[in-house]
Amino acid sequence: MVTPAAPEHREGWLALRAALWGDEAGNPVDLPEGDGNFVALEEGRVVGFAEAAVRQDYVNGCDNSPVLFLEGLFVDPGHRRGGGAAALVAAVADWGRAQGCLEFASDAEIDNLDSHAMHLALGFAETERVVYFRREL
């Protein structure tokens, strides 16, 4: 079952965020509610999450603004291939349509082939590949 994230999901949500992003997950004080954040539950336990945002700025590969952007998606490895990711993405898509978005975008590391395959399976189409550079001043 997929539902909007709520305070009672905080512990499970934080654990899955840490599994996905490690130290980069940060430690948010509060679980964001109602802003494109959804959890997948099994017997009341958080087994997956999706975080999305409405971006007003340019999004690579998109022609419109605003754009619904999938910031993060993770399903516990023991619960994969059961439709959880698809249900989370469907909930995010419904939320994005209600926000007036016409396009749904996401990204993945260039070498994360599992993520590429998952995105394609969920109906996304690859639009471009980008390598970013930086230089200290």
Side-chain angles (χ1 to χ4, degrees):
M1 173 179 91
V2 171
T3 186
E8 62 266 29
H9 305 129
R10 184 176 190 279
E11 186 177 317
W13 172 72
L14 287 174
L16 293 181
R17 288 180 102 247
L20 176 61
W21 289 309
D23 292 339
E24 295 177 27
N27 190 13
V29 175
D30 294 314
L31 174 68
E33 292 182 70
D35 291 330
N37 299 293
F38 296 87
V39 292
L41 302 173
E42 185 173 289
E43 297 178 8
R45 183 173 154 258
V46 177
V47 297
F49 80 93
E51 294 181 19
V54 173
R55 292 192 178 182
Q56 304 290 337
D57 55 336
Y58 172 73
V59 175
N60 294 46
C62 293
D63 298 321
N64 296 289
S65 182
V67 172
L68 176 63
F69 198 87
L70 186 63
E71 302 288 349
L73 174 66
F74 187 82
V75 176
D76 178 84
H79 293 86
R80 291 183 182 164
R81 301 203 179 271
L88 285 161
V89 166
V92 169
D94 288 344
W95 177 81
R97 281 186 209 92
Q99 306 308 307
C101 297
L102 300 175
E103 292 179 281
F104 190 177
S106 183
D107 62 8
E109 295 290 330
I110 201 160
D111 61 347
N112 190 341
L113 301 182
D114 289 339
S115 181
H116 299 180
M118 180 208 62
H119 278 85
L120 293 172
L122 294 174
F124 289 89
E126 184 175 321
T127 59
E128 60 186 70
R129 291 187 178 226
V130 177
V131 176
Y132 293 94
F133 297 90
R134 73 176 281 276
R135 182 180 114 177
E136 288 189 26
L137 297 177

